Amino acid sequence: MMKIEKNTILFDLDGTLTDSAEGVIRSAQHMQEKMGIEKWSDKDLKFIVGPPLIKTFTEDFNMNQEDAHRALEFFRERYATVGLFENKVYEGIPEMLQELKKKGKRLAVATSKKEETAVRILKHFKIDQYFEVIGGDNRELGRDTKAKVIAHVMEVMNVSKSDVIMVGDRKFDVEGAHSVGIPCIAIEYGYGDRDEFEACGADYIGATPQAVVNMF
């Protein structure tokens, strides 16, 4: 198999490095209770893990912008204190990161999660040391889309897009990467599936963390 000749690898967080479904779903249900709307089942809320929340609240919950931002505050009210630790690192992730570092790769995180929350999670699970940059949503600075987060991380790392690749588990990772001109590896152990990846034009598809290592 041809090896990917990229030296900088950006990773999504939810569904790629950690399985955060429980905390995200519980926090979404907390939001629904606070908003006075019907609380959905765990199964019906599974889709919420990964995509930018404002986009989810406006498009999937049919909220206007004002309500979507209120919903985001209620979600974060629980997630920032309890939900972020209802989470676990996928099996094989530390080993994947170690092996990629041994291969001389520069690693970073580019997530739609609030940046300070992403830092707390990665520190909690003791995998933050593998990453040069941990970049996330920062609406105060206008960094409110996946593409903007990816562009920010690349700028901080001072890398050319010709030397960068994204790794993620949903179409939003693929689309965000493509919009800034870099390819994306879609992984199958997270929240997306092969049909989604093929439909959005993922450049590579990997079944396991070790499969990602083997691509380089």
Side-chain angles (χ1 to χ4, degrees):
M1 184 179 76
M2 291 279 292
K3 298 294 186 181
I4 299 173
E5 298 295 332
K6 306 285 185 184
N7 289 312
T8 304
I9 309 171
L10 312 185
F11 288 91
D12 175 48
L13 179 52
D14 288 0
T16 302
L17 299 175
T18 68
D19 180 358
S20 58
E22 180 182 355
V24 172
I25 289 170
R26 297 283 175 269
S27 299
Q29 291 167 335
H30 171 80
M31 174 276 293
Q32 289 176 309
E33 289 180 349
K34 288 285 192 173
M35 296 285 287
I37 58 180
E38 181 184 357
K39 189 166 75 171
W40 297 359
S41 70
D42 291 11
K43 181 180 178 181
D44 289 339
L45 280 168
K46 189 175 181 181
F47 74 93
I48 200 173
V49 185
L53 286 169
I54 289 293
K55 180 181 176 71
T56 298
F57 293 156
T58 55
E59 295 183 5
D60 297 291
F61 288 81
N62 297 312
M63 295 180 183
N64 59 36
Q65 284 293 323
E66 182 180 351
D67 284 344
H69 282 89
R70 282 182 60 228
L72 182 62
E73 291 306 311
F74 287 134
F75 175 93
R76 287 176 171 171
E77 179 178 81
R78 184 186 187 280
Y79 192 81
T81 55
V82 180
L84 77 167
F85 298 132
E86 294 171 328
N87 199 349
K88 61 184 177 182
V89 176
Y90 283 113
E91 184 177 351
I93 291 298
E95 294 82 0
M96 175 191 73
L97 298 173
Q98 289 166 13
E99 289 191 53
L100 289 172
K101 292 291 280 187
K102 286 179 182 177
K103 288 174 180 276
K105 304 303 179 183
R106 300 178 66 190
L107 310 181
V109 170
T111 173
S112 293
K113 187 178 294 300
K114 195 173 182 181
E115 186 168 288
E116 63 187 55
T117 303
V119 171
R120 288 177 65 196
I121 291 169
L122 293 166
K123 284 182 178 293
H124 176 76
F125 290 115
K126 297 180 171 58
I127 56 173
D128 59 299
Q129 72 269 21
Y130 295 108
F131 305 108
E132 289 185 36
V133 177
I134 299 170
D137 180 289
N138 189 325
R139 291 177 183 274
E140 292 77 13
L141 299 178
R143 200 187 312 144
D144 57 358
T145 67
K146 191 75 175 195
K148 289 178 181 178
V149 174
I150 293 170
H152 163 73
V153 172
M154 290 169 56
E155 182 179 4
V156 173
M157 297 181 79
N158 191 29
V159 290
S160 167
K161 63 183 179 182
S162 64
D163 200 34
V164 184
I165 192 165
M166 181 77 197
V167 180
D169 72 304
R170 294 298 310 276
K171 66 180 181 179
F172 309 99
D173 302 304
V174 179
E175 292 167 351
H178 288 175
S179 69
V180 299
I182 65 171
C184 185
I185 300 169
I187 51 88
E188 295 182 282
Y189 58 83
Y191 306 128
D193 57 36
R194 185 169 286 267
D195 288 343
E196 177 178 326
F197 303 148
E198 291 177 350
C200 68
D203 302 274
Y204 308 90
I205 300 176
T208 65
Q210 187 59 48
V212 174
V213 174
N214 295 342
M215 292 181 185
F216 294 91

PDB file of all heavy atoms in Angstrom, residues 33 35 52 91 99 102-103 112 116 159 162 164 167 171 198 203 208:
ATOM      1  N   GLU A  33     -34.650  19.425  28.943  1.00  0.00           N
ATOM      2  CA  GLU A  33     -35.433  19.677  30.153  1.00  0.00           C
ATOM      3  C   GLU A  33     -35.469  21.161  30.486  1.00  0.00           C
ATOM      4  O   GLU A  33     -36.521  21.716  30.815  1.00  0.00           O
ATOM      5  CB  GLU A  33     -34.841  18.892  31.325  1.00  0.00           C
ATOM      6  CG  GLU A  33     -35.062  17.392  31.240  1.00  0.00           C
ATOM      7  CD  GLU A  33     -34.462  16.651  32.415  1.00  0.00           C
ATOM      8  OE1 GLU A  33     -33.699  17.283  33.182  1.00  0.00           O
ATOM      9  OE2 GLU A  33     -34.752  15.456  32.569  1.00  0.00           O
ATOM     10  N   MET A  35     -35.045  23.646  28.479  1.00  0.00           N
ATOM     11  CA  MET A  35     -35.760  24.391  27.439  1.00  0.00           C
ATOM     12  C   MET A  35     -37.254  24.098  27.441  1.00  0.00           C
ATOM     13  O   MET A  35     -38.020  24.718  26.709  1.00  0.00           O
ATOM     14  CB  MET A  35     -35.178  24.059  26.057  1.00  0.00           C
ATOM     15  CG  MET A  35     -33.742  24.484  25.841  1.00  0.00           C
ATOM     16  SD  MET A  35     -33.523  26.261  25.587  1.00  0.00           S
ATOM     17  CE  MET A  35     -34.174  26.484  23.930  1.00  0.00           C
ATOM     18  N   PRO A  52     -20.996  20.313  14.987  1.00  0.00           N
ATOM     19  CA  PRO A  52     -21.098  21.569  15.747  1.00  0.00           C
ATOM     20  C   PRO A  52     -22.503  21.719  16.332  1.00  0.00           C
ATOM     21  O   PRO A  52     -23.504  21.544  15.628  1.00  0.00           O
ATOM     22  CB  PRO A  52     -20.823  22.644  14.693  1.00  0.00           C
ATOM     23  CG  PRO A  52     -20.030  21.935  13.635  1.00  0.00           C
ATOM     24  CD  PRO A  52     -20.551  20.536  13.600  1.00  0.00           C
ATOM     25  N   GLU A  91      -9.805   2.203  22.715  1.00  0.00           N
ATOM     26  CA  GLU A  91      -8.707   1.240  22.794  1.00  0.00           C
ATOM     27  C   GLU A  91      -7.766   1.431  21.598  1.00  0.00           C
ATOM     28  O   GLU A  91      -8.215   1.569  20.461  1.00  0.00           O
ATOM     29  CB  GLU A  91      -9.268  -0.185  22.787  1.00  0.00           C
ATOM     30  CG  GLU A  91      -8.221  -1.256  22.962  1.00  0.00           C
ATOM     31  CD  GLU A  91      -8.803  -2.652  23.027  1.00  0.00           C
ATOM     32  OE1 GLU A  91     -10.049  -2.780  23.102  1.00  0.00           O
ATOM     33  OE2 GLU A  91      -8.019  -3.617  23.003  1.00  0.00           O
ATOM     34  N   GLU A  99       3.129   5.628  18.253  1.00  0.00           N
ATOM     35  CA  GLU A  99       3.760   5.139  17.030  1.00  0.00           C
ATOM     36  C   GLU A  99       3.909   6.244  15.988  1.00  0.00           C
ATOM     37  O   GLU A  99       4.932   6.317  15.289  1.00  0.00           O
ATOM     38  CB  GLU A  99       2.956   3.965  16.461  1.00  0.00           C
ATOM     39  CG  GLU A  99       3.071   2.701  17.288  1.00  0.00           C
ATOM     40  CD  GLU A  99       2.489   1.491  16.572  1.00  0.00           C
ATOM     41  OE1 GLU A  99       2.884   1.235  15.419  1.00  0.00           O
ATOM     42  OE2 GLU A  99       1.626   0.818  17.174  1.00  0.00           O
ATOM     43  N   LYS A 102       6.793   8.358  16.934  1.00  0.00           N
ATOM     44  CA  LYS A 102       8.045   7.665  16.620  1.00  0.00           C
ATOM     45  C   LYS A 102       8.386   7.774  15.138  1.00  0.00           C
ATOM     46  O   LYS A 102       9.565   7.757  14.753  1.00  0.00           O
ATOM     47  CB  LYS A 102       7.951   6.193  17.025  1.00  0.00           C
ATOM     48  CG  LYS A 102       8.030   5.962  18.517  1.00  0.00           C
ATOM     49  CD  LYS A 102       7.903   4.476  18.838  1.00  0.00           C
ATOM     50  CE  LYS A 102       7.928   4.229  20.334  1.00  0.00           C
ATOM     51  NZ  LYS A 102       7.736   2.792  20.663  1.00  0.00           N
ATOM     52  N   LYS A 103       7.360   7.883  14.308  1.00  0.00           N
ATOM     53  CA  LYS A 103       7.568   8.042  12.867  1.00  0.00           C
ATOM     54  C   LYS A 103       7.922   9.490  12.507  1.00  0.00           C
ATOM     55  O   LYS A 103       8.107   9.816  11.338  1.00  0.00           O
ATOM     56  CB  LYS A 103       6.304   7.623  12.110  1.00  0.00           C
ATOM     57  CG  LYS A 103       6.040   6.119  12.098  1.00  0.00           C
ATOM     58  CD  LYS A 103       4.684   5.810  11.441  1.00  0.00           C
ATOM     59  CE  LYS A 103       4.385   4.321  11.412  1.00  0.00           C
ATOM     60  NZ  LYS A 103       5.004   3.646  10.256  1.00  0.00           N
ATOM     61  N   SER A 112     -14.582  20.593  17.066  1.00  0.00           N
ATOM     62  CA  SER A 112     -15.681  21.560  17.173  1.00  0.00           C
ATOM     63  C   SER A 112     -16.089  21.777  18.625  1.00  0.00           C
ATOM     64  O   SER A 112     -16.920  22.630  18.910  1.00  0.00           O
ATOM     65  CB  SER A 112     -16.896  21.073  16.360  1.00  0.00           C
ATOM     66  OG  SER A 112     -16.611  21.078  14.983  1.00  0.00           O
ATOM     67  N   GLU A 116     -11.309  25.107  25.518  1.00  0.00           N
ATOM     68  CA  GLU A 116     -10.872  24.879  26.901  1.00  0.00           C
ATOM     69  C   GLU A 116     -11.384  23.529  27.423  1.00  0.00           C
ATOM     70  O   GLU A 116     -10.709  22.859  28.224  1.00  0.00           O
ATOM     71  CB  GLU A 116     -11.335  26.006  27.822  1.00  0.00           C
ATOM     72  CG  GLU A 116     -12.837  26.158  27.956  1.00  0.00           C
ATOM     73  CD  GLU A 116     -13.213  27.402  28.752  1.00  0.00           C
ATOM     74  OE1 GLU A 116     -12.787  28.510  28.392  1.00  0.00           O
ATOM     75  OE2 GLU A 116     -13.942  27.231  29.744  1.00  0.00           O
ATOM     76  N   VAL A 159       2.327  25.494   9.163  1.00  0.00           N
ATOM     77  CA  VAL A 159       2.529  24.421   8.201  1.00  0.00           C
ATOM     78  C   VAL A 159       1.807  24.726   6.894  1.00  0.00           C
ATOM     79  O   VAL A 159       0.791  25.419   6.886  1.00  0.00           O
ATOM     80  CB  VAL A 159       2.031  23.072   8.749  1.00  0.00           C
ATOM     81  CG1 VAL A 159       2.927  22.583   9.865  1.00  0.00           C
ATOM     82  CG2 VAL A 159       0.588  23.154   9.231  1.00  0.00           C
ATOM     83  N   SER A 162      -0.128  21.505   2.058  1.00  0.00           N
ATOM     84  CA  SER A 162       0.347  20.360   1.281  1.00  0.00           C
ATOM     85  C   SER A 162       0.963  19.277   2.160  1.00  0.00           C
ATOM     86  O   SER A 162       1.183  18.151   1.712  1.00  0.00           O
ATOM     87  CB  SER A 162       1.377  20.819   0.244  1.00  0.00           C
ATOM     88  OG  SER A 162       2.525  21.353   0.877  1.00  0.00           O
ATOM     89  N   VAL A 164      -0.347  18.490   5.356  1.00  0.00           N
ATOM     90  CA  VAL A 164      -1.290  18.253   6.462  1.00  0.00           C
ATOM     91  C   VAL A 164      -2.406  17.308   6.021  1.00  0.00           C
ATOM     92  O   VAL A 164      -2.869  17.369   4.885  1.00  0.00           O
ATOM     93  CB  VAL A 164      -1.911  19.584   6.944  1.00  0.00           C
ATOM     94  CG1 VAL A 164      -2.816  19.347   8.150  1.00  0.00           C
ATOM     95  CG2 VAL A 164      -0.837  20.601   7.284  1.00  0.00           C
ATOM     96  N   VAL A 167      -7.814  13.632  10.471  1.00  0.00           N
ATOM     97  CA  VAL A 167      -8.384  12.327  10.818  1.00  0.00           C
ATOM     98  C   VAL A 167      -9.657  12.576  11.618  1.00  0.00           C
ATOM     99  O   VAL A 167      -9.632  13.264  12.635  1.00  0.00           O
ATOM    100  CB  VAL A 167      -7.411  11.480  11.662  1.00  0.00           C
ATOM    101  CG1 VAL A 167      -8.049  10.121  12.014  1.00  0.00           C
ATOM    102  CG2 VAL A 167      -6.085  11.269  10.940  1.00  0.00           C
ATOM    103  N   LYS A 171     -18.765  13.194   8.580  1.00  0.00           N
ATOM    104  CA  LYS A 171     -18.666  13.946   7.332  1.00  0.00           C
ATOM    105  C   LYS A 171     -18.213  15.380   7.572  1.00  0.00           C
ATOM    106  O   LYS A 171     -17.602  16.001   6.698  1.00  0.00           O
ATOM    107  CB  LYS A 171     -20.001  13.942   6.595  1.00  0.00           C
ATOM    108  CG  LYS A 171     -21.124  14.684   7.305  1.00  0.00           C
ATOM    109  CD  LYS A 171     -22.418  14.637   6.498  1.00  0.00           C
ATOM    110  CE  LYS A 171     -23.529  15.403   7.186  1.00  0.00           C
ATOM    111  NZ  LYS A 171     -24.786  15.382   6.395  1.00  0.00           N
ATOM    112  N   GLU A 198     -18.133   7.563   2.073  1.00  0.00           N
ATOM    113  CA  GLU A 198     -18.079   7.503   0.609  1.00  0.00           C
ATOM    114  C   GLU A 198     -18.915   8.611  -0.009  1.00  0.00           C
ATOM    115  O   GLU A 198     -18.541   9.203  -1.022  1.00  0.00           O
ATOM    116  CB  GLU A 198     -18.531   6.121   0.135  1.00  0.00           C
ATOM    117  CG  GLU A 198     -17.526   5.024   0.493  1.00  0.00           C
ATOM    118  CD  GLU A 198     -17.981   3.627   0.089  1.00  0.00           C
ATOM    119  OE1 GLU A 198     -19.172   3.475  -0.295  1.00  0.00           O
ATOM    120  OE2 GLU A 198     -17.156   2.696   0.168  1.00  0.00           O
ATOM    121  N   ASP A 203     -11.004  10.767   1.670  1.00  0.00           N
ATOM    122  CA  ASP A 203      -9.847  10.373   0.857  1.00  0.00           C
ATOM    123  C   ASP A 203      -9.334   8.990   1.208  1.00  0.00           C
ATOM    124  O   ASP A 203      -8.829   8.264   0.345  1.00  0.00           O
ATOM    125  CB  ASP A 203      -8.739  11.416   1.030  1.00  0.00           C
ATOM    126  CG  ASP A 203      -9.217  12.798   0.647  1.00  0.00           C
ATOM    127  OD1 ASP A 203      -9.154  13.137  -0.539  1.00  0.00           O
ATOM    128  OD2 ASP A 203      -9.681  13.537   1.548  1.00  0.00           O
ATOM    129  N   THR A 208      -9.425   0.914  12.217  1.00  0.00           N
ATOM    130  CA  THR A 208      -8.899   0.902  13.592  1.00  0.00           C
ATOM    131  C   THR A 208      -7.802   1.951  13.749  1.00  0.00           C
ATOM    132  O   THR A 208      -7.252   2.443  12.752  1.00  0.00           O
ATOM    133  CB  THR A 208      -8.285  -0.465  13.920  1.00  0.00           C
ATOM    134  OG1 THR A 208      -7.137  -0.666  13.057  1.00  0.00           O
ATOM    135  CG2 THR A 208      -9.285  -1.603  13.703  1.00  0.00           C
TER     136      THR A 208
END
